[in-house]
Amino acid sequence: MTAALWAVRDVVTTMTDTERNGVERINQRAGRNVPAATAIGLALLGAVLFFTWYAPWGLVGLVTVASVMGLREMGNALSLQQVRLVAVPVYLAAATMP
């Protein structure tokens, strides 16, 4: 795990009951686990910065994976409205565009 994830984990595990209740209220309003979402965002930022500075071709792979995952999420959301994506061409296009 990256240093940012460890820091968030340490903060979350050392909270008092009052702080934990406050985080639960925020999570309910936001509809997601805010500390986990923050940790994931920081990890993604770290990955983008690493690939930008040290391994530019890795950034292409990261963008490709993110594109395919985003299209999968969009396909899942559209399937709730009874709209189906033709998966193979959509995923091939997403994988070859970057």
Side-chain angles (χ1 to χ4, degrees):
M1 292 174 71
T2 64
L5 291 175
W6 282 111
V8 169
R9 191 187 122 246
D10 291 342
V11 168
V12 171
T13 56
T14 59
M15 289 190 300
T16 64
D17 288 337
T18 305
E19 292 169 333
R20 205 169 264 126
N21 290 338
V23 169
E24 289 300 320
R25 281 197 316 261
I26 291 171
N27 289 344
Q28 288 173 351
R29 269 193 326 197
R32 66 187 61 83
N33 186 341
V34 176
T38 302
I40 295 297
L42 291 173
L44 286 174
L45 176 64
V48 167
L49 291 176
F50 172 79
F51 285 127
T52 301
W53 287 330
Y54 299 112
W57 285 103
L59 186 61
V60 174
L62 186 67
V63 169
T64 300
V65 169
S67 298
V68 171
M69 289 175 64
L71 283 171
R72 183 172 181 192
E73 287 295 320
M74 188 178 75
N76 289 340
L78 288 174
S79 69
L80 297 175
Q81 300 297 321
Q82 308 303 322
V83 176
R84 293 196 57 207
L85 292 179
V86 182
V88 174
V90 171
Y91 292 148
L92 282 176
T96 57
M97 277 189 203

